[in-house]
Amino acid sequence: MTVCEVCGNDYELAFEVRAAGAVHVFDSFECAAHKLAPVCDNCGCRILGHGLETNGMFFCCAHCARAKGYTQLTDHA
């Protein structure tokens, strides 16, 4: 079995994710998101969908980008 790198669960159905040249092992999508998903620089939530990025900052939505002064960004939904 393989051990999840986030929670330590030894799980026979663990899976690998290859990202940015590294291989990660997780037992659930929840653990994968906890480790790999960017965090909104305004509200702190994990960005699981199409977020926004500017000047090295990540935002979950245009509202959060505007709160930090980035008025040029718009949602793409």
Side-chain angles (χ1 to χ4, degrees):
M1 287 201 254
T2 307
V3 176
C4 175
E5 67 183 67
V6 172
C7 70
N9 186 27
D10 192 5
Y11 185 51
E12 66 184 41
L13 298 177
F15 57 93
E16 291 182 354
V17 173
R18 298 174 190 276
V23 178
H24 302 275
V25 177
F26 305 106
D27 70 338
S28 67
F29 287 114
E30 181 180 4
C31 285
H34 178 77
K35 177 78 175 193
L36 300 175
V39 176
C40 178
D41 284 307
N42 183 59
C43 72
C45 75
R46 294 275 174 196
I47 303 169
L48 300 179
H50 297 278
L52 303 169
E53 180 184 4
T54 188
N55 293 333
M57 297 182 75
F58 292 93
F59 301 102
C60 64
C61 64
H63 175 265
C64 281
R66 284 191 302 272
K68 292 292 186 179
Y70 296 99
T71 57
Q72 78 281 12
L73 297 177
T74 59
D75 288 320
H76 295 281

